[in-house]
Amino acid sequence: MAGLLASGWRSTPLHEVVLKVHQRCNLACSYCYVYEHADQSWRDRPAVMSPEVFAAAVRRLGDHVRRQGLRRIRVVLHGGEPMLLGAATLGRLADGVRAAVPETCTVRVGIQTNGVLLTEAAVRTLRDHDIAVSVSVDGVAEDHDRYRVTHAGRGTYTAVSRALELLAAPAFRDGFAGLLCTVAPDTDPARCYRTLRDFGPAAIDFLLPHATWSTPPDRGPGVYGRWLTGAFDAWYDDPDPVPVRLFESTLDLLLGGASRSEQIGLSPVALVVVESDGAIEQVDALKTAYPGACATGLHVAHDDFDTALRHPGIVARQLGAGALCAECRACPLHRVCGGGHYAHRYRPETGFANPSVYCAGLRLFIDHVRARVHADTRPLPGG
C-alpha cells in the first residue's frame, strides 16, 4: 500500500454507502447471497441497526463528504428487507442521512426491497421523504415464484406486481428507480426483458447469480452468456427500450467509455457497507466466497470511511487492470470484461487472482454485443 501511495496513486472517494438497517428478511430466496452462502455472520448481528450505530454511520458519511469535497453521494437503506422497519421509520432515517451531510452535496437516498410490503400508504410515505425505490423481481410470474418465495414456500409475484403497478402510477413514478433481476438460465430471456419493461421502471439491471470457483453456477457459464445475448437482443431491437445498466455499460466500454456496473469493466468500485452492528465492510456479494470475506476490521464507532478506502480489499477493486490476474491481463477483452464481478473470481487456492467463473459466458456475451455494434456501424458503401 505504501508503494502505491508513493507512486502517486490515490483512492477514489465513496460514491455509495449501503446501510444494513434491517438484517432479517421476510422471504427465503433460494439464491440469496446473505442467507444461503458461505458467510453466515448475519446470525450474530442485531436484527435492526440501533440509533447509536446509525448516528455514528451518518456522522462518518458527513465527515467523508466534507473531507473529500463531494458534490453527490448515494445512500441505500438495505437489508435483509428494509421495509420490515416500516416506511415511516425509513423516512426518518432518510431525513437523518440528509441532515448529516453538508448542503453542498446532493444526497440520493434509496431502498432495495423485495416489494412484498409496499402498500399505497407505504409508497406515499417513501415518496414524501424522497426515497427512491428499487425492487427485486425475476421476470414472469412462474419464474419469479420458483425462487422468490416466503418462508412458507409461497410465491410472491402477485404481491410484487401489485407493488410495481403502484410505483408506476403518475403520483409515484418519480420515485420508481428500477428493477433488479437475477438471471435464471432456463428461462426465456426475451420474455423476461419484455415483462420487466412493461412495468415501466426507470431502469433494469440483470445480475448473474453469485458463484465462485469453489461453488460454481448450476449450469455451465456459456448457458448464462447465451441468456444474456438473448436478453440483449430483445433490448437492442426494442424501439422504445428501458435502460439496462449491464447492456449500456458493455456498449460504452466497447466504444471506449467507462462502466457503471461492478459486473463488468475496470471502473473503480467506491462503495462501503455498514452492517447493522456498525461494522464497515466491503460489498456484501463477497459473502459468497468464504466467511469473513467482506470484513475490514473497521467500525463506525472508531473508524472513518477514508480509512476503509485504504483497506487492501477495497484498494484491489480500485486498481483497474493492476488487480487482474496474468491470464486476464493477457486477454484482449479484459478492458471490457474487467475480469467480471470480483466475487466471481474467488478460488480457495489463489483468492481473487483468477478469471471470473463466468469467463466463457462473458466472452460469448461481449463478442455478441461487439458483433451487433459492428454490423450497425459499418461505413456506408462509397463513404
Side-chain angles (χ1 to χ4, degrees):
M1 184 70 195
L4 275 176
L5 294 175
S7 71
W9 181 87
R10 293 292 181 268
S11 60
T12 299
L14 296 178
H15 60 66
E16 184 170 335
V17 174
V18 176
L19 302 179
K20 292 297 193 81
V21 294
H22 203 294
Q23 193 67 240
R24 305 297 187 261
C25 190
N26 54 337
L27 298 191
C29 304
S30 59
Y31 53 72
C32 181
Y33 60 81
V34 175
Y35 305 110
E36 301 297 333
H37 282 273
D39 189 313
Q40 291 290 298
S41 57
W42 66 271
R43 297 179 183 275
D44 301 319
R45 290 188 159 122
V48 176
M49 181 179 283
S50 71
E52 294 77 18
V53 167
F54 178 80
V58 298
R59 184 172 65 252
R60 297 296 183 188
L61 175 62
D63 290 345
H64 183 74
V65 166
R66 293 182 186 90
R67 192 175 296 117
Q68 299 291 341
L70 300 183
R71 295 296 182 182
R72 62 183 61 83
I73 192 83
R74 181 171 184 249
V75 176
V76 181
L77 306 177
H78 210 291
E81 173 47 53
M83 283 302 300
L84 288 171
L85 282 177
T89 298
L90 291 173
R92 288 193 293 272
L93 295 181
D95 294 346
V97 169
R98 293 190 176 96
V101 174
E103 292 182 359
T104 53
C105 179
T106 299
V107 184
R108 294 175 297 145
V109 180
I111 64 168
Q112 183 68 46
T113 174
N114 58 44
V116 171
L117 300 177
L118 287 176
T119 62
E120 182 172 355
V123 171
R124 189 175 302 281
T125 298
L126 296 173
R127 186 85 288 274
D128 288 345
H129 290 272
D130 196 19
I131 298 174
V133 181
S134 295
V135 181
S136 300
V137 56
D138 287 349
V140 302
E142 57 266 31
D143 298 333
H144 177 100
D145 284 345
R146 280 191 295 161
Y147 301 104
R148 303 192 63 80
V149 298
T150 67
H151 289 277
R154 290 190 290 273
T156 58
Y157 188 83
T158 298
V160 175
S161 59
R162 187 181 305 123
L164 296 178
E165 290 172 3
L166 274 173
L167 288 169
F172 307 126
R173 178 178 292 279
D174 286 349
F176 188 7
L179 300 177
L180 196 61
C181 176
T182 298
V183 171
D186 57 349
T187 61
D188 182 333
R191 187 177 176 216
C192 178
Y193 164 72
R194 288 192 290 267
T195 298
L196 299 179
R197 177 203 59 192
D198 289 348
F199 282 118
I204 298 169
D205 207 7
F206 292 115
L207 300 180
L208 292 168
H210 289 310
T212 69
W213 289 101
S214 55
T215 54
D218 293 339
R219 307 279 290 277
V223 177
Y224 291 87
R226 286 190 288 277
W227 194 98
L228 289 175
T229 64
F232 175 83
D233 283 344
W235 172 78
Y236 195 72
D237 295 332
D238 186 350
D240 187 24
V242 170
V244 175
R245 184 167 58 171
L246 175 60
F247 299 163
E248 291 187 337
S249 290
T250 303
L251 288 172
D252 287 343
L253 289 161
L254 285 167
L255 296 172
S259 172
R260 295 179 294 108
S261 170
E262 64 178 313
Q263 296 190 87
I264 200 165
L266 294 170
S267 299
V269 175
L271 174 153
V272 295
V273 176
V274 180
E275 291 284 356
S276 63
D277 60 358
I280 301 173
E281 298 207 333
Q282 303 173 66
V283 62
D284 52 1
L286 294 178
K287 293 179 188 294
T288 58
Y290 59 89
C294 303
T296 65
L298 305 175
H299 192 283
V300 292
H302 43 73
D303 298 293
D304 59 35
F305 290 151
D306 289 59
T307 303
L309 288 178
R310 296 193 291 272
H311 184 273
I314 294 177
V315 169
R317 305 197 69 196
Q318 296 201 355
L319 283 179
L324 299 181
C325 66
E327 182 180 347
C328 284
R329 290 197 302 273
C331 174
L333 290 180
H334 79 271
R335 295 198 175 277
V336 178
C337 168
H341 196 295
Y342 193 73
H344 301 168
R345 306 176 202 172
Y346 179 72
R347 189 190 295 269
E349 300 82 5
T350 48
F352 296 96
N354 308 285
S356 168
V357 72
Y358 289 107
C359 177
L362 289 172
R363 180 187 293 272
L364 187 156
F365 167 64
I366 294 167
D367 283 343
H368 178 82
V369 174
R370 181 167 56 184
R372 296 250 11 211
V373 171
H374 179 72
D376 285 349
T377 55
R378 290 175 185 164
L380 292 173

